[in-house]
Amino acid sequence: MIHPLFPTLFLLALPFTQAIIATTKLTKPTTNKYKATQVKNAISHAWHGYMDYSHLSDDLKPISRTGDKWLHSRATFYDALDTLYLAGLHNEFNSAVSEIIGESRTGKWWKPWKFWQYWHQGVPTSVIYPVKTFEYHIRVVGGLLGAYTVSGNRELLHAAQFAADCLLSSFKTPNGLPRPHTRVAHPYRTPIFYGIAKMLDAVRITFDRVVWCNTLAGLGSFGVELRVLSRETGNSKYRFIADQVHNHIYKQWKEKNNNTTSNG
């Protein structure tokens, strides 16, 4: 049964309700176009903040407006490429791509030495500081492949191949698993730096046994990018390395499972 005061209360509240709804629609539209614009603006704000205050670093520290160089590879720069493209920030995307291609794809078998550009243009390499193999792979190689996938720009595929080739020496181990930390240099484009990097890695391997410790999550993720590289370039060496890693993991799992079953 309807309360006798309900019609009166409804009529009194109706103008206020309509005013609230109208104000809400004016100040906070809920259309998909509005939401998309807000997301795009947020992405643009984050990107320009990174480029303005920490473009040579991996991440931006927003409070201090400084950069954090924990990977020495401009992680955010490569992580964000496909996001820029999908968000429609094509000026920012094209500017970043031109920066990468300008150094990583010169058409020559050697990479020209430009000290002021070497550390921040082209595919990043790190001779002095060892990088985390897994992080470099998913952020730099994966970021470039993601950008290639959404844009179709094959120069980005070549850059991803360059970055992967810089990492392949870390897979030259007795069991085929990569070293968790390695110095990054291309064996053919920068052979001198490659030699220095491998020498420093060899010294560390001799005195630091922790360098062999891997995680399952890290090892399991290599296959995606490496297999895509083989599919897109036609070079089977990347898929071979991925299979090598996954076969070793499967072998260890199977042996452990059999031992558990036997003991049980």
Side-chain angles (χ1 to χ4, degrees):
M1 182 177 180
I2 299 177
H3 195 280
L5 291 179
F6 178 79
T8 304
L9 292 174
F10 177 79
L11 291 175
L12 289 174
L14 184 59
F16 297 101
T17 304
Q18 290 175 330
I20 293 173
I21 293 174
T23 303
T24 302
K25 287 184 178 180
L26 289 174
T27 58
K28 294 184 178 180
T30 57
T31 63
N32 290 336
K33 183 178 180 180
Y34 173 80
K35 293 177 182 178
T37 301
Q38 293 300 100
V39 171
K40 182 177 180 178
N41 291 340
I43 294 172
S44 176
H45 174 76
W47 173 255
H48 287 286
Y50 167 76
M51 293 297 289
D52 289 343
Y53 298 107
S54 60
H55 68 288
L56 299 184
S57 303
D58 296 299
D59 292 320
L60 167 66
K61 297 179 179 179
I63 296 177
S64 63
R65 295 183 179 181
T66 57
D68 184 8
K69 295 182 179 180
W70 60 273
L71 189 62
H72 305 284
S73 302
R74 301 182 75 195
T76 295
F77 185 85
Y78 292 91
D79 258 348
L81 289 173
D82 54 354
T83 301
L84 293 175
Y85 188 90
L86 291 174
L89 297 170
H90 296 300
N91 289 336
E92 290 82 350
F93 176 82
N94 292 333
S95 176
V97 170
S98 65
E99 184 175 330
I100 297 168
I101 294 173
E103 284 295 314
S104 67
R105 194 67 175 173
T106 62
K108 301 177 182 179
W109 66 271
W110 54 279
K111 184 176 181 180
W113 169 255
K114 297 179 182 179
F115 178 77
W116 62 93
Q117 296 178 343
Y118 188 74
W119 296 105
H120 69 280
Q121 286 195 340
V123 176
T125 58
S126 179
V127 177
I128 304 301
Y129 301 101
V131 304
K132 294 182 178 180
T133 309
F134 159 69
E135 295 286 355
Y136 184 96
H137 184 77
I138 63 170
R139 294 174 183 273
V140 179
V141 180
L144 288 165
L145 283 176
Y148 158 68
T149 301
V150 296
S151 69
N153 187 337
R154 290 191 68 84
E155 294 287 358
L156 293 170
L157 174 62
H158 299 320
Q161 187 176 12
F162 178 96
D165 287 341
C166 290
L167 282 182
L168 292 188
S169 63
S170 67
F171 290 85
K172 294 179 180 179
T173 59
N175 57 13
L177 301 183
R179 296 188 301 275
H181 297 84
T182 189
R183 288 168 176 82
V184 181
H186 198 278
Y188 306 116
R189 296 279 290 278
T190 55
I192 296 177
F193 290 110
Y194 177 81
I196 295 173
K198 296 311 107 183
M199 181 182 66
L200 293 174
D201 279 344
V203 172
R204 181 177 182 181
I205 291 170
T206 304
F207 296 100
D208 184 7
R209 303 308 299 174
V210 179
V211 77
W212 295 107
C213 297
N214 273 296
T215 65
L216 183 60
L219 292 174
S221 70
F222 285 101
V224 176
E225 292 85 358
L226 291 174
R227 289 190 173 93
V228 170
L229 275 173
S230 283
R231 184 190 70 196
E232 297 298 321
T233 65
N235 192 328
S236 62
K237 70 177 181 181
Y238 306 107
R239 184 178 64 249
F240 175 81
I241 291 175
D243 291 342
Q244 179 177 270
V245 172
H246 290 167
N247 288 341
H248 180 82
I249 295 173
Y250 175 74
K251 180 181 177 182
Q252 295 298 313
W253 171 83
K254 189 174 182 180
E255 290 179 356
K256 184 176 180 180
N257 187 55
N258 289 338
N259 291 336
T260 304
T261 304
S262 300
N263 294 333

